[in-house]
PDB file of all heavy atoms in Angstrom:
ATOM      1  N   GLN A  51      82.870 187.553  29.186  1.00  0.00           N
ATOM      2  CA  GLN A  51      82.154 188.065  28.012  1.00  0.00           C
ATOM      3  C   GLN A  51      82.868 189.269  27.423  1.00  0.00           C
ATOM      4  O   GLN A  51      82.934 189.431  26.194  1.00  0.00           O
ATOM      5  CB  GLN A  51      80.719 188.424  28.394  1.00  0.00           C
ATOM      6  CG  GLN A  51      79.831 187.213  28.658  1.00  0.00           C
ATOM      7  CD  GLN A  51      78.449 187.586  29.154  1.00  0.00           C
ATOM      8  OE1 GLN A  51      78.254 188.662  29.733  1.00  0.00           O
ATOM      9  NE2 GLN A  51      77.474 186.710  28.928  1.00  0.00           N
ATOM     10  N   VAL A  85      91.909 175.378  32.466  1.00  0.00           N
ATOM     11  CA  VAL A  85      91.617 175.782  33.837  1.00  0.00           C
ATOM     12  C   VAL A  85      92.593 175.145  34.813  1.00  0.00           C
ATOM     13  O   VAL A  85      92.928 173.958  34.695  1.00  0.00           O
ATOM     14  CB  VAL A  85      90.174 175.397  34.233  1.00  0.00           C
ATOM     15  CG1 VAL A  85      89.931 175.620  35.727  1.00  0.00           C
ATOM     16  CG2 VAL A  85      89.174 176.177  33.415  1.00  0.00           C
ATOM     17  N   LEU A 164     101.542 156.582  83.484  1.00  0.00           N
ATOM     18  CA  LEU A 164     100.544 156.866  82.474  1.00  0.00           C
ATOM     19  C   LEU A 164     100.441 155.691  81.520  1.00  0.00           C
ATOM     20  O   LEU A 164     101.449 155.076  81.164  1.00  0.00           O
ATOM     21  CB  LEU A 164     100.907 158.136  81.692  1.00  0.00           C
ATOM     22  CG  LEU A 164     100.937 159.446  82.483  1.00  0.00           C
ATOM     23  CD1 LEU A 164     101.350 160.604  81.575  1.00  0.00           C
ATOM     24  CD2 LEU A 164      99.590 159.722  83.125  1.00  0.00           C
ATOM     25  N   SER A 177      79.327 157.259  83.608  1.00  0.00           N
ATOM     26  CA  SER A 177      79.429 158.460  84.435  1.00  0.00           C
ATOM     27  C   SER A 177      78.733 158.195  85.755  1.00  0.00           C
ATOM     28  O   SER A 177      77.517 157.992  85.807  1.00  0.00           O
ATOM     29  CB  SER A 177      78.777 159.651  83.717  1.00  0.00           C
ATOM     30  OG  SER A 177      78.838 160.806  84.514  1.00  0.00           O
ATOM     31  N   GLY A 189      87.683 144.180  81.576  1.00  0.00           N
ATOM     32  CA  GLY A 189      87.075 144.394  82.881  1.00  0.00           C
ATOM     33  C   GLY A 189      87.795 145.394  83.768  1.00  0.00           C
ATOM     34  O   GLY A 189      87.414 145.585  84.921  1.00  0.00           O
ATOM     35  N   GLU A 222      80.171 146.458  70.362  1.00  0.00           N
ATOM     36  CA  GLU A 222      80.524 145.083  70.698  1.00  0.00           C
ATOM     37  C   GLU A 222      80.433 144.788  72.194  1.00  0.00           C
ATOM     38  O   GLU A 222      80.572 143.636  72.607  1.00  0.00           O
ATOM     39  CB  GLU A 222      81.932 144.765  70.178  1.00  0.00           C
ATOM     40  CG  GLU A 222      82.019 144.788  68.650  1.00  0.00           C
ATOM     41  CD  GLU A 222      83.394 144.421  68.143  1.00  0.00           C
ATOM     42  OE1 GLU A 222      84.243 144.001  68.970  1.00  0.00           O
ATOM     43  OE2 GLU A 222      83.633 144.543  66.927  1.00  0.00           O
ATOM     44  N   LEU A 239      75.431 144.678  79.370  1.00  0.00           N
ATOM     45  CA  LEU A 239      76.775 144.995  78.900  1.00  0.00           C
ATOM     46  C   LEU A 239      77.775 143.930  79.318  1.00  0.00           C
ATOM     47  O   LEU A 239      77.605 143.238  80.321  1.00  0.00           O
ATOM     48  CB  LEU A 239      77.209 146.356  79.445  1.00  0.00           C
ATOM     49  CG  LEU A 239      76.307 147.545  79.097  1.00  0.00           C
ATOM     50  CD1 LEU A 239      76.884 148.826  79.687  1.00  0.00           C
ATOM     51  CD2 LEU A 239      76.128 147.684  77.588  1.00  0.00           C
TER      52      LEU A 239
END
Side-chain angles (χ1 to χ4, degrees):
Q51 288 175 335
V85 171
L164 296 178
S177 179
E222 295 182 8
L239 302 181

